[in-house]
Amino acid sequence: MNGNNFRMSARRCATVAAAVALAAGPVTLAGAGSAQASGAHEGRASASVLRTGLDVSLLNKTVNVPLAVSLNEVQAPRSAHQTALSARLDGVDHGRPFSVLAADVAKADATTSADKSEGTVELAHARIHVPGLPLLSLIEVEQVTSTATCEAGEAPVATSNVLGSVKVLGKRVSLTAGGTTDVKVPGVGEVRLDLSKRETTSTTAAASALELKVSVNPLKLNVAEVEGTVTLAKATCESPAAPTTPADQESPEESAPAAPADDTPADTPADTTPKTEVKAQGTHAESNLAETGGSSLTPYIAAGSVVLLGAGGGALVLARRRRG
């Protein structure tokens, strides 16, 4: 192989190596730099028509029996439509079942999706009893509803309504929106009602149509006292997380600090010397330099340059040896 042919081969090898290095760079970058949007997890929702937390004291005053029951209590994604609830308690009416709730309509639904979670409750023409008061209803309602809605990226919303008349221990009562109502019946007991309780945060919502604090002393069916709470139509939700994509990330131009304001007094002519123009150009050049320096192709261009230098150096050494 003569010197010219050798030089041509060396140059071709160097050119091919550099081309391979530069071509492989963008391919590798495309594989490593492609961003995948992180999937959003679904939110949470729950709903319950009735929930009790009562302590029943028997006549001997030595035994307290808890009555903790619920009707149509569901977690998303579920629904329930039972309209009656009964329970048994040892020592109460010889262990026979007694009615806790009977209604014409009692629905609870809890749903979730990638962008929304919601709990809803509807109760209509309902009568609730506690142990020791088989004939007298603790409360009677015509219709109550509650809804808690949480959408991704939106403020959660909680709503509840009590429609129609309400009777407590046989007495018709007028409820105050967002307030409490006390009902006292001599020889029976007292009930405090909280109407339409709603709570929201940045990601959650909860609504209860009625919350009752109960304290009655029926003195029947071996029952001395009943104390505790009863909650009607409660719905809750938690917002699903919004998916994150590369577009959500702040761009360098958006994160760059704002240019300083011109503090030149109004009665002073603006400085039009090249110095001001140089500052503006310098700021622009620094911005471009930052963008160029941050380019993902820079490492591969540098790698190609190294390959070219190495190949050229090797060719030069071989040429000198051949001449020698």
Side-chain angles (χ1 to χ4, degrees):
M1 179 184 298
N2 58 34
N4 292 332
N5 291 336
F6 176 77
R7 292 191 190 95
M8 185 62 67
S9 299
R11 290 174 182 172
R12 288 177 179 175
C13 291
T15 302
V16 170
V20 170
L22 293 175
V27 173
T28 306
L29 176 64
S34 58
Q36 298 291 334
S38 58
H41 70 78
E42 292 185 349
R44 297 181 179 89
S46 67
S48 64
V49 168
L50 170 75
R51 183 185 296 170
T52 68
L54 299 171
D55 287 326
V56 180
S57 176
L58 304 184
L59 283 177
N60 54 24
K61 297 295 185 73
T62 60
V63 178
N64 289 327
V65 183
L67 178 62
V69 295
S70 61
L71 177 67
N72 297 343
E73 186 167 4
V74 296
Q75 304 286 331
R78 286 192 61 190
S79 62
H81 300 262
Q82 294 178 341
T83 58
L85 174 66
S86 62
R88 297 172 183 264
L89 288 178
D90 292 337
V92 177
D93 196 16
H94 306 287
R96 288 191 287 264
F98 60 90
S99 173
V100 178
L101 181 143
D104 292 346
V105 177
K107 299 190 298 182
D109 295 284
T111 60
T112 59
S113 65
D115 56 1
K116 180 181 179 181
S117 61
E118 185 173 58
T120 60
V121 183
E122 181 182 357
L123 181 63
H125 300 101
R127 298 162 298 283
I128 299 172
H129 295 269
V130 295
L133 294 176
L135 301 178
L136 182 62
S137 299
L138 175 68
I139 186 171
E140 297 180 21
V141 296
E142 286 194 20
Q143 184 178 10
V144 295
T145 62
S146 292
T147 303
T149 305
C150 299
E151 295 189 43
E154 302 291 338
V157 178
T159 60
S160 59
N161 295 287
V162 179
L163 308 174
S165 63
V166 176
K167 288 184 178 181
V168 178
L169 298 177
K171 295 178 62 174
R172 188 181 298 272
V173 297
S174 298
L175 302 177
T176 303
T180 61
T181 302
D182 293 322
V183 179
K184 296 181 180 180
V185 177
V188 178
E190 62 181 274
V191 176
R192 168 169 287 190
L193 293 86
D194 285 322
L195 173 65
S196 301
K197 295 189 66 175
R198 299 179 293 271
E199 297 179 356
T200 59
T201 67
S202 59
T203 58
T204 64
S208 299
L210 284 171
E211 287 192 2
L212 290 71
K213 185 176 182 181
V214 180
S215 178
V216 298
N217 50 344
L219 299 178
K220 294 181 180 180
L221 301 179
N222 198 37
V223 176
E225 294 177 351
V226 179
E227 294 187 351
T229 59
V230 175
T231 303
L232 285 179
K234 183 170 185 178
T236 69
C237 67
E238 180 180 352
S239 300
T244 57
T245 61
D248 296 331
Q249 299 177 357
E250 188 178 19
S251 64
E253 294 181 358
E254 293 175 351
S255 61
D262 187 4
D263 295 331
T264 304
D267 56 348
T268 303
D271 187 1
T272 57
T273 61
K275 181 178 180 180
T276 303
E277 296 178 359
V278 169
K279 284 186 177 180
Q281 293 174 358
T283 303
H284 182 70
E286 289 172 1
S287 176
N288 292 338
L289 179 60
E291 294 175 1
T292 305
S295 173
S296 55
L297 294 177
T298 302
Y300 303 105
I301 296 174
S305 301
V306 171
V307 171
L308 286 173
L309 290 175
L316 181 60
V317 171
L318 292 177
R320 288 180 177 178
R321 288 182 179 176
R322 184 169 181 82
R323 291 176 181 174

